[in-house]
């Protein structure tokens, strides 16, 4: 049983955070601005109530919107000393477990959950005789998601879509017919999609009051993260679970409501008193993440978008927010890449730099510009066109377990191919380094040895693809242990639900869209394409849509903790562009502030240790000619940073690497732990 000191849980909180954690109210909404510590408040609230006997861990449910958020929540609870199990997960993962158990309890055949509805949509579109190809199918996919997030059935679609001003490709009647055909196709094949999961649980609860009562008994204490992102169906789930008890803790920020396409409604929190009568509202206006310079820019962006907010920074001054202006999109990317290449390389190695854009398509130029300068780049595992996605697509096309197994073994056994691409890349990198030194020294005789940029790009791409194939192959064998008769389509579904590739590798500049950056933070952030037609996006034509665009830019800007650079192009795709109206009034001419000396900065030894471990792992893996994850996984690396072990045995206890490996790595790891524990340690003492 956990023994957690309740007073210790609130000792390091600011007054607003402490009020949110300790309030005696059961129905609470915490309006938490960017960087105000909402995850800290959420986890401390859970631990504090359990520690004081005010809540039961076994009857506590925390709902999040991403697996990453759920995992971080569980890790923080363990770090706080809470050993009792608390149910934490996304809406869909938690409700899918409930639905599967319901099928078992009622002797019903389990339905397959379709991870990607496009194949079924193509069949439904064909069955209805509709042409139009990809545009109509993509529009149907979007319209069905929109409708199902609101609980709108096919027979009500036209009326509700017309009321909401929807204008899908193919027209409303075509969408209604495809939606109806899609629904019938799912029923005939005995499958559901992810949007069905919540709807089916709600249907079961309405049909069987006893089932609903069991759910409410099981989940007596409900907490919801990112409450501003609730869509109508998720809101119904919350209402179903809280009925008769009203033990609900909502945390969110209306200024970060950027998912209206999924039905999210920022008024859930701005008008929370009306939606949850009797609720206590607590506000967290202090940003502990960003410097005052960054907070001021974020607030100005919101104000220029017609949404003033009261937010202030708790940090000391940092550098002034700066701008990058390129003649066109290629020069914008080149300037950003040059600044990163000339900056602190440890920020790149520790994954503390991000380039954010309104659309994923913008990121291609930045990736190329960074690669040409020898700067490593990191894209999300599932990003369109990524090596991992290409390898996944190849595996998902296989139609039998034997074919999957053969592909996996052939890939893992082909060591020669891996060594070949690595050696080719190493040679090109070596030549590139020699040529760079020759340029710097003025030795023109050696310049000719530099490989062409396309050679380096192709070699890096080939190496990345081989590594991706090996990762997919390893996951395939894990999948086949669970489902010996599975095929490629089922493997794709398994990946979508288990997320085996989310390993949080940190080496490289991260490239993400504004939407994908939500919930993340980096030391240095380049917010790009902040210009007309992109921000607000040309598709945003109504006042609410433009207001959401301002919130989206606010989210992007406040991902930076210390350095924020706002970039744009004067011409894009051959057309002249002007600065975004959301930054037109920014005053970025103030002199650069002097950062406080290191001794007065807040110091988190766990974060410092993790950053040092990341750098050490990258350097050690490079010398050993292995992938960093093969030396030490990110999960084990984070566990070491949290536990701060002092012996090889403690490394073994904190991780899953075994005592033998722990002993082998101890000589490199333990000095880093000692340095992170000692604030007076010099950089030289941790080499």
């Amino acid at each position: 049983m956990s023994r957690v000191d309740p007073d210790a849980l609130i000792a390091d909180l600011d007054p607003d955070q402490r009020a949110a954690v300790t309030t005696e109210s059961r129905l609470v909404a915490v309006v938490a601005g960017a960087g105000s510590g909402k995850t800290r408040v959420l986890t401390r609230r859970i631990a504090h109530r359990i520690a004081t006997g005010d809540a039961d861990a076994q009857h506590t449910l925390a709902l999040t919107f991403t697996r990453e958020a759920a995992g971080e929540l569980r890790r923080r609870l363990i770090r706080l000393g809470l050993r009792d199990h608390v149910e934490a997960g996304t809406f869909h993962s938690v409700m899918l477990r409930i639905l599967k158990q319901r099928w078992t309890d009622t002797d019903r055949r389990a339905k397959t959950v379709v991870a990607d509805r496009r194949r079924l949509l193509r069949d439904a579109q064909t069955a209805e005789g509709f042409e139009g190809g990809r545009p109509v199918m993509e529009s149907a996919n979007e319209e069905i998601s929109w409708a199902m997030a609101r609980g709108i059935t096919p027979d009500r679609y036209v009326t509700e879509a017309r009321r909401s001003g929807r204008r899908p490709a193919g027209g409303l009647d075509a969408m209604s017919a495809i939606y109806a055909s899609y629904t019938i196709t799912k029923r005939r094949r005995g499958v559901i999609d992810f949007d069905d999961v919540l709807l089916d649980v709600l249907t079961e609860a309405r049909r069987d009051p006893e089932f609903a009562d069991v759910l409410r008994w099981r989940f007596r204490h409900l907490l919801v993260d990112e409450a501003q992102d609730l869509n109508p169906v998720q809101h119904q789930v919350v209402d179903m679970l809280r009925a008769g008890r009203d033990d609900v803790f909502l945390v969110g920020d209306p200024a970060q409501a950027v998912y209206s396409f999924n039905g999210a409604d920022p008024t859930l929190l701005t008008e929370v008193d009306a939606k949850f009568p009797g609720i206590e509202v607590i506000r967290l206006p202090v940003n502990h993440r960003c410097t005052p310079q960054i907070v001021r820019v974020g607030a100005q962006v919101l104000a220029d978008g017609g949404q003033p907010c009261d937010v202030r920074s708790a940090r000391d001054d940092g550098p002034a927010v700066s701008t990058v202006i390129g003649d066109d999109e290629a020069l914008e990317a080149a300037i950003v890449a040059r600044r990163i290449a000339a900056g602190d390389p440890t920020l790149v190695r520790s994954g503390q730099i991000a380039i954010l854009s309104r659309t994923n398509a913008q990121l291609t130029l930045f990736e190329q510009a960074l690669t040409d300068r020898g700067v490593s780049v990191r894209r999300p595992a599932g990003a369109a066109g990524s090596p991992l996605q290409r390898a996944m697509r190849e595996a998902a096309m296989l139609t039998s377990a034997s074919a999957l197994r053969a592909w996996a073994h052939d890939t893992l056994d082909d060591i020669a191919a891996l060594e070949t691409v690595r050696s080719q890349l190493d040679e090109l990198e070596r030549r590139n380094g020699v040529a760079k030194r020759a340029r710097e020294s003025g030795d023109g005789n050696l310049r000719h040895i530099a490989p062409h940029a396309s050679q380096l790009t192709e070699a890096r791409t080939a190496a990345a693809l081989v590594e991706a194939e090996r990762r997919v192959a390893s996951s395939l064998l894990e999948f086949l242990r669970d489902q010996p008769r599975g095929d490629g389509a089922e493997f794709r579904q398994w990946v979508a639900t288990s997320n085996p590739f989310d390993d949080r590798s940190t080496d490289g500049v991260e490239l993400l869209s504004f939407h994908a950056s939500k919930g993340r933070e980096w030391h240095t952030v380049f917010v790009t394409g902040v210009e007309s037609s992109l921000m607000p996006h040309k598709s945003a034509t109504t006042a609410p849509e433009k207001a959401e665009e301002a919130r989206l830019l606010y989210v992007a800007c406040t991902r930076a903790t210390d350095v924020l650079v706002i970039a744009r192009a004067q011409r894009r795709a051959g057309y002249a562009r002007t600065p975004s109206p959301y930054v037109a009034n920014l005053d970025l001419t103030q002199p650069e502030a002097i950062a406080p000396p290191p001794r007065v900065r807040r110091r988190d030894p766990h974060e410092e240790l993790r950053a040092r471990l990341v750098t050490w792992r990258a350097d050690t893996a490079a010398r050993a000619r292995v992938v960093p994850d093969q030396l030490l996984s990110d999960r084990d690396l984070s566990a070491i940073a949290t536990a701060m072990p002092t012996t090889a045995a403690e490394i073994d206890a904190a991780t899953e690497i075994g005592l033998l490996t722990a002993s082998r790595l101890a000589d490199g790891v333990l000095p880093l732990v000692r340095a992170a524990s000692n604030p007076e340690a010099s950089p030289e003492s941790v080499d």
Side-chain angles (χ1 to χ4, degrees):
M1 183 174 180
S2 301
R3 293 182 180 178
V4 181
D5 181 2
D7 293 332
L9 292 171
I10 61 175
D12 59 346
L13 302 182
D14 69 30
D16 299 310
Q17 293 171 336
R18 190 175 299 116
V21 169
T22 62
T23 179
E24 294 182 0
S25 300
R26 296 289 177 272
L27 188 57
V28 182
V30 178
V31 180
S36 62
K38 68 177 183 61
T39 305
R40 169 177 287 200
V41 165
L42 187 64
T43 51
R44 300 295 178 90
R45 172 71 171 180
I46 294 171
H48 192 269
R49 288 194 64 185
I50 293 171
T52 57
D54 190 45
D56 188 333
Q58 295 182 357
H59 295 285
T60 299
L61 171 62
L63 292 172
T64 67
F65 279 82
T66 66
R67 300 181 185 91
E68 294 87 349
E72 177 62 17
L73 190 150
R74 287 190 290 267
R75 286 190 292 272
R76 291 200 189 193
L77 289 175
I78 293 172
R79 202 177 302 161
L80 291 172
L82 192 68
R83 296 294 180 262
D84 300 310
H85 175 72
V86 170
E87 186 79 23
T90 65
F91 275 84
H92 288 90
S93 65
V94 172
M95 293 302 139
L96 182 57
R97 287 195 293 270
I98 289 171
L99 193 57
K100 287 182 175 179
Q101 186 60 50
R102 177 67 171 172
W103 291 333
T104 300
D105 293 342
T106 55
D107 297 322
R108 279 181 280 176
R109 181 179 179 181
K111 296 180 180 180
T112 299
V113 181
V114 178
D116 187 347
R117 64 161 63 106
R118 286 175 175 80
R119 182 184 298 177
L120 288 178
L121 269 176
R122 281 194 295 269
D123 293 345
Q125 185 176 335
T126 301
E128 290 300 316
F130 286 107
E131 301 298 332
R134 185 180 182 86
V136 171
M137 189 191 73
E138 292 298 329
S139 189
N141 188 29
E142 182 179 336
E143 290 304 297
I144 291 172
S145 291
W146 175 84
M148 295 183 72
R150 291 158 177 77
I152 298 172
T153 54
D155 59 301
R156 293 172 44 224
Y157 167 78
V158 172
T159 300
E160 298 296 335
R162 185 173 289 122
R163 181 179 294 128
S164 298
R166 308 289 293 183
R167 294 182 178 86
L172 296 180
D173 290 334
M175 291 300 106
S176 177
I178 294 173
Y179 184 13
S181 178
Y182 173 70
T183 303
I184 293 170
T185 301
K186 285 189 297 182
R187 185 165 59 246
R188 286 175 176 169
R189 299 186 184 182
V191 301
I192 60 175
D193 64 25
F194 281 116
D195 288 326
D196 284 309
V197 171
L198 305 189
L199 290 167
D200 285 4
V201 170
L202 288 170
T203 298
E204 293 289 329
R206 294 186 187 110
R207 289 176 177 171
D208 186 349
E210 185 177 346
F211 170 65
D213 289 340
V214 168
L215 289 181
R216 286 188 280 267
W217 173 86
R218 179 179 173 185
F219 302 124
R220 304 174 197 177
H221 320 295
L222 179 62
L223 302 97
V224 182
D225 190 17
E226 302 286 9
Q228 78 280 349
D229 292 335
L230 284 172
N231 64 37
V233 168
Q234 290 162 338
H235 198 162
Q236 290 176 40
V237 171
V238 171
D239 284 342
M240 182 268 291
L241 293 174
R242 75 183 180 98
R245 192 180 299 275
D246 261 356
D247 191 332
V248 181
F249 191 80
L250 305 172
V251 182
D253 181 11
Q256 297 186 67
V258 294
Y259 292 113
S260 64
F261 59 85
N262 193 37
D265 182 2
T267 64
L268 174 65
L269 288 179
T270 57
E271 301 173 6
V272 70
D273 313 67
K275 297 177 185 293
F276 294 85
I279 197 168
E280 179 182 1
V281 180
I282 300 173
R283 301 185 185 278
L284 306 183
V286 180
N287 185 316
H288 296 273
R289 173 199 300 153
C290 311
T291 63
Q293 287 78 3
I294 294 170
V295 169
R296 281 197 293 270
V297 165
Q300 186 63 54
V301 164
L302 283 178
D304 286 347
Q307 303 160 93
C309 69
D310 177 22
V311 61
R312 59 187 183 277
S313 173
R315 292 189 54 191
D316 297 299
D317 276 344
V321 175
S322 60
T323 59
V324 163
I325 303 175
D327 289 342
D328 57 22
E329 61 267 42
L331 190 56
E332 175 197 26
I335 296 172
V336 168
R338 185 170 66 236
R339 288 188 58 167
I340 293 173
D344 185 352
T346 61
L347 290 176
V348 176
R349 286 199 298 268
S350 59
Q352 283 299 307
I353 299 179
I355 296 176
L356 309 180
S357 67
R358 176 62 179 83
T359 68
N360 281 304
Q362 294 168 247
L363 295 171
T364 302
L365 283 174
F366 292 98
E367 184 171 10
Q368 184 65 57
L370 289 167
T371 301
D372 289 346
R373 287 186 169 271
V375 179
S376 56
V377 173
R378 189 154 48 101
R379 295 288 296 271
S386 69
L388 197 62
Q389 188 193 60
R390 289 168 60 186
M392 263 295 303
R393 187 163 55 241
E394 184 178 345
M397 292 174 64
L398 302 175
T399 57
S400 69
S402 58
L404 289 176
R405 190 170 284 105
W407 186 90
H409 284 300
D410 287 346
T411 300
L412 293 173
D413 289 344
D414 197 357
I415 302 297
L418 177 62
E419 291 305 316
T420 298
V421 296
R422 279 181 177 168
S423 62
Q424 290 172 344
L425 179 57
D426 287 347
E427 173 59 20
L428 288 172
E429 296 282 15
R430 185 192 67 78
R431 287 168 49 193
N432 194 48
V434 172
K436 181 179 179 182
R437 289 192 293 274
R439 286 194 299 269
E440 293 171 349
S441 64
D443 187 352
N445 294 326
L446 294 177
R447 292 182 183 178
H448 69 280
I449 71 169
H452 194 276
S454 62
Q455 287 180 284
L456 265 174
T457 300
E458 290 171 4
R460 288 168 179 152
T461 300
L465 182 57
V466 171
E467 294 295 347
E469 287 175 344
R470 291 172 66 80
R471 292 178 66 192
V472 171
S474 297
S475 295
L476 258 176
L477 296 179
E478 181 182 349
F479 160 73
L480 290 170
R481 283 193 290 271
D482 292 338
Q483 302 183 39
R485 298 183 179 179
D487 60 14
E490 290 170 324
F491 173 59
R492 183 187 301 179
Q493 177 191 328
W494 179 82
V495 168
T497 55
S498 64
N499 203 25
F501 305 125
D502 182 32
D503 57 9
R504 293 290 187 184
S505 174
T506 57
D507 182 30
V509 176
E510 195 151 10
L511 306 181
L512 291 168
S513 69
F514 290 172
H515 280 101
S517 73
K518 193 167 179 290
R520 305 284 303 282
E521 64 179 62
W522 297 268
H523 175 278
T524 300
V525 171
F526 291 82
V527 179
T528 64
V530 187
E531 63 203 42
S532 57
S533 293
L534 280 175
M535 185 47 60
H537 193 270
K538 60 186 177 182
S539 62
T541 57
T542 66
E545 288 170 343
K546 291 179 179 179
E548 180 166 322
E549 291 288 298
R551 295 195 296 270
L552 188 56
L553 182 57
Y554 168 75
V555 167
C557 290
T558 54
R559 299 310 94 194
T561 61
D562 291 76
V563 177
L564 173 62
V565 181
I566 296 176
R568 67 178 178 89
Q570 293 181 314
R571 297 183 67 82
R572 188 176 298 273
Y575 293 94
R577 299 295 175 94
T578 58
S580 165
Y582 304 137
V583 299
N585 297 322
L586 291 180
D587 179 11
L588 303 179
T589 61
Q590 75 265 33
E592 185 169 312
I594 299 175
R599 65 177 180 275
V600 301
R601 289 181 177 172
R602 286 186 178 85
R603 182 176 177 277
D604 185 339
H606 301 290
E607 289 301 319
E608 288 185 9
L609 176 57
R610 193 182 194 288
R612 287 172 172 171
L613 284 170
V614 167
T615 302
W616 164 82
R617 181 182 64 173
D619 294 341
T620 305
R623 289 194 296 271
R625 297 173 63 83
V626 299
V627 179
D629 287 347
Q630 293 177 322
L631 183 73
L632 188 70
S633 73
D634 283 315
R635 180 180 299 176
D636 289 329
L637 187 147
S638 296
I640 292 172
T642 300
M644 301 189 76
T646 58
T647 65
E650 290 181 7
I651 295 177
D652 175 38
T655 65
E656 299 177 358
I657 61 178
L659 183 57
L660 185 63
T661 303
S663 300
R664 180 168 56 84
L665 299 181
D667 288 344
V669 169
L670 295 181
L672 300 177
V673 176
R674 288 194 292 271
S677 302
N678 177 12
E680 301 303 322
S682 66
E684 290 75 20
S685 68
V686 299
D687 283 344

